[in-house]
Amino acid sequence: MQTLSLDYPAGTPAARRALAGVVGSGDLEVLLEPGESGRTTVAIATSVDGVDDIWKAVIDRIFSEDGLPALKVEINDFGATPAVVRLRIAQAMEQTNPEASHA
Amino acid sequence: MRDVAALLQRQSFVELPARARCQHLLDDAGQRELLGPFERLTSPWLPKQNIVTQSDDGVVIMRGTLGDTKVVVAAVEPAFQGGSMGEVGGAKIAGALTCALADVKAGDPVVPILLLETGGVRLQEANCGLAAIAEIHDMIVALREHGPVIGVITGPVGCFGGMSIAAGLCSALLVTREARLGLNGPQVIEQEAGVDEFDSRDRPMIWSLLGGEQRVATGLAEDLVDDDVAAIRDLLAERVTAAPKTLARTTDIARFEALLETVDPAEQATAETTRAMFDQTTGAA
């Protein structure tokens, strides 16, 4: 198991919290909570060691975008591929949107 | 021939994760999760062994209603650690059942529904998980004095180990054809008794002996249901209001002792011989 912490500038805190995915083979769990204003933090625990660079590239690409709300992100990963990581984060972010219906 | 359009439209229960299973079974209004993922009650033992935890320790507890009946649903997440029962997840189920018993005794009936997709105790947590499973057994026995306690096994994992005892203790058990129920899983039996006794790669043989269809045929489960969210929900809505059909299996010791007397371990068991044996000695339909 390996852990990683990443940090990004962000806007105002997200409207609500959200969860997507499970810690199953090739999948991951993403927990989103409103962050401290102006800052998004991402804490990752992954079962796969030695792929920090890939994680940083994938997460950078998502949270470097302008105008995103401030989030406290926790990721529990069980060997998900970058595509699945992006999908789960997008799924959770959609649920933090107050206009989205409760899934 | 089956109605193809209906087959295409129906939603699989087996493919749903634990939280979605609970959400689909309960009425939309008033459902709420107890000790949800944001409480972060995770396993204290897995990180010490370098294993990633899940924020709900692989168990979802939800209260709500099913029709006019108050229910509490406890679901094991099949994908997390093989649906294993750890200390925290086990305690969540035991705690939910303890609360249900307190409510029942206070005159506010609530029917427990257990969605059992589990290989049994989480080996990394050993005795802590086993203790939690024992508490669950204790609570099921106490609760079924007051009303139904319903077990559901749909697959894909099946229900094995200590939690298969929990399934056996339930006053009604619903299974699908994909479900399996057994004290030991196929690989454990093969490892202990040899490949001649039980070939863990012989899937048709495994399902013919441990599968849902066989378990209903031998009276170890009550209802065979399709892997269909609506069908499972409808059947559960009936079962939560119905008085148990038969005496709880586990109180009927004499019947099963008589059955054990007739077993010849030298003979290889098949689905047919097992059914015949149950028919003769226990009068199972």
Side-chain angles (χ1 to χ4, degrees):
Chain A
M1 186 175 77
Q2 192 171 358
T3 56
L4 252 98
S5 292
L6 301 166
D7 226 295
Y8 302 91
T12 53
R16 61 180 181 216
R17 60 194 192 182
L19 167 81
V22 292
V23 188
S25 181
D27 205 343
L28 75 161
E29 177 188 56
V30 178
L31 293 105
L32 299 185
E33 287 169 286
E36 178 188 316
S37 192
R39 186 165 171 247
T40 282
T41 57
V42 184
I44 302 163
T46 171
S47 62
V48 186
D49 292 351
V51 283
D52 326 28
D53 293 349
I54 299 176
W55 271 106
K56 194 169 175 326
V58 171
I59 303 295
D60 275 357
R61 196 168 242 207
I62 298 169
F63 290 103
S64 300
E65 200 181 303
D66 283 338
L68 289 178
L71 291 160
K72 191 166 151 274
V73 183
E74 184 183 322
I75 290 174
N76 296 312
D77 166 62
F78 219 69
T81 57
V84 176
V85 173
R86 287 199 68 126
L87 181 84
R88 288 293 184 212
I89 293 175
Q91 205 183 347
M93 300 235 322
E94 198 175 287
Q95 289 177 58
T96 61
N97 183 348
E99 273 97 61
S101 66
H102 268 289
Chain B
M1 200 182 122
R2 307 190 71 163
D3 184 350
V4 176
L7 271 176
L8 288 173
Q9 267 178 11
R10 79 181 187 189
Q11 188 179 6
S12 167
F13 192 81
V14 175
E15 288 170 12
L16 293 176
R19 187 161 287 102
R21 290 179 177 205
C22 297
Q23 286 164 344
H24 278 93
L25 289 183
L26 292 166
D27 299 333
D28 287 339
Q31 55 172 255
R32 65 184 206 280
E33 185 170 352
L34 308 182
L35 299 176
F38 292 96
E39 309 284 336
R40 292 193 166 77
L41 281 179
T42 58
S43 164
W45 307 105
L46 292 181
K48 290 183 206 288
Q49 296 166 71
N50 265 321
I51 299 168
V52 179
T53 57
Q54 182 162 299
S55 58
D56 55 17
D57 202 33
V59 170
V60 177
I61 309 284
M62 230 178 253
R63 283 188 84 138
T65 55
L66 181 52
D68 295 325
T69 312
K70 280 191 194 174
V71 296
V72 57
V73 184
V76 183
E77 172 53 58
F80 178 59
Q81 293 291 329
S84 60
M85 298 300 304
E87 184 186 17
V88 173
K92 279 170 79 172
I93 299 182
L97 295 177
T98 307
C99 290
L101 183 63
D103 284 353
V104 170
K105 284 183 170 168
D108 182 18
V110 49
V111 175
I113 298 172
L114 306 173
L115 309 184
L116 303 169
E117 288 309 317
T118 166
V121 69
R122 185 176 297 156
L123 298 180
Q124 296 93 335
E125 308 192 14
N127 294 359
C128 299
L130 289 171
I133 292 175
E135 281 178 40
I136 294 169
H137 294 166
D138 188 26
M139 281 302 128
I140 295 173
V141 171
L143 273 157
R144 71 180 190 196
E145 298 293 318
H146 302 276
V149 179
I150 300 165
V152 182
I153 310 169
T154 58
V157 175
C159 183
F160 296 99
M163 291 307 278
S164 72
I165 302 175
L169 289 169
C170 289
S171 63
L173 194 56
L174 276 61
V175 296
T176 65
R177 276 188 70 207
E178 289 79 11
R180 295 176 299 166
L181 171 65
L183 189 59
N184 290 124
Q187 277 169 327
V188 175
I189 303 175
E190 182 186 310
Q191 185 182 309
E192 295 301 316
V195 70
D196 291 337
E197 176 73 22
F198 208 90
D199 182 350
S200 68
R201 283 168 306 176
D202 187 348
R203 293 166 73 86
M205 185 276 292
I206 291 167
W207 260 267
S208 79
L209 287 172
L210 311 183
E213 219 167 358
Q214 175 77 354
R215 292 317 195 188
V216 171
T218 52
L220 294 174
E222 275 65 37
D223 295 297
L224 190 65
V225 62
D226 279 338
D227 172 26
D228 176 0
V229 170
I232 292 171
R233 199 189 130 89
D234 289 349
L235 188 55
L236 275 172
E238 271 177 48
R239 289 283 166 264
V240 292
T241 54
K245 272 196 289 197
T246 49
L247 188 67
R249 276 175 293 274
T250 50
T251 59
D252 205 359
I253 295 163
R255 215 168 65 138
F256 286 100
E257 269 182 348
L259 171 69
L260 276 177
E261 290 291 320
T262 67
V263 176
D264 177 4
E267 234 173 82
Q268 189 80 40
T270 66
E272 291 72 32
T273 58
T274 313
R275 284 184 198 199
M277 210 182 283
F278 270 81
D279 280 345
Q280 275 166 22
T281 54
T282 68

